[in-house]
Amino acid sequence: MGTPFSQIYDLALIVIKDYNIEHLFATDESSFNVLMEGMLVRSIPKFVGCEKPLDYNIAQDGAEFNRALSMTEQVILADLMVLTWFESNMNDIRQMNLHLTGRDFKMYAESQNLKEKSETFDRLREKVRQDICDYQLNL
């Protein structure tokens, strides 16, 4: 039996604090699973050099990997999901249009907000790359 996708979701949601995702889980678990599955499927190819093939099956009762993944592999996939989530938030136009008063402050705040998010994203990506490198060295 392989590792269920839901285990990776749980690890990612420890880090992701998003009201929209929490609300979706509370109101429509099916849509929640579709969203989380999409983020994980988009993240899988970014885990280059994984010791195990990351083949998976998507079934009516839930998706799962064909093989059991180690905790390290699960954490790396969860971190890659966090990156995917963060990137989607960073690219959300509503986040770029901050609603603050004052024309000069608003323009500065929007650009500064995007700059800070980009820097945070770059730091997260480097951390995940380092984790993947450490994983590969420990094989």
Side-chain angles (χ1 to χ4, degrees), residues 27-78:
T27 58
D28 188 357
E29 195 169 336
S30 175
S31 294
F32 166 81
N33 285 325
V34 168
L35 173 70
M36 297 302 285
E37 183 179 294
M39 282 197 291
L40 181 53
V41 167
R42 184 164 166 82
S43 302
I44 290 170
K46 296 176 184 173
F47 190 178
V48 292
C50 184
E51 175 186 11
K52 299 173 186 142
L54 295 174
D55 303 341
Y56 57 88
N57 290 319
I58 298 176
Q60 196 102 11
D61 59 342
E64 72 176 14
F65 291 97
N66 293 339
R67 292 178 175 73
L69 301 178
S70 70
M71 183 53 69
T72 302
E73 293 161 340
Q74 292 179 44
V75 168
I76 289 172
L77 283 168

Side-chain angles (χ1 to χ4, degrees), residues 89-101 105-107 109-111 113-114 117:
N89 279 328
M90 194 169 61
N91 291 328
D92 186 353
I93 190 66
R94 293 171 296 174
Q95 296 294 321
M96 293 179 196
N97 294 330
L98 297 175
H99 301 289
L100 302 173
T101 58
F105 180 71
K106 183 176 178 183
M107 291 177 68
E110 290 171 0
S111 64
N113 182 35
L114 185 58
K117 284 182 177 182

Side-chain angles (χ1 to χ4, degrees), residues 75-89:
V75 168
I76 289 172
L77 283 168
D79 287 345
L80 288 167
M81 276 185 73
V82 171
L83 274 177
T84 301
W85 167 80
F86 194 88
E87 184 177 24
S88 72
N89 279 328

Side-chain angles (χ1 to χ4, degrees), residues 111-123:
S111 64
Q112 190 64 23
N113 182 35
L114 185 58
K115 179 183 175 201
E116 292 299 323
K117 284 182 177 182
S118 294
E119 289 175 4
T120 301
F121 179 77
D122 289 341
R123 284 193 303 272

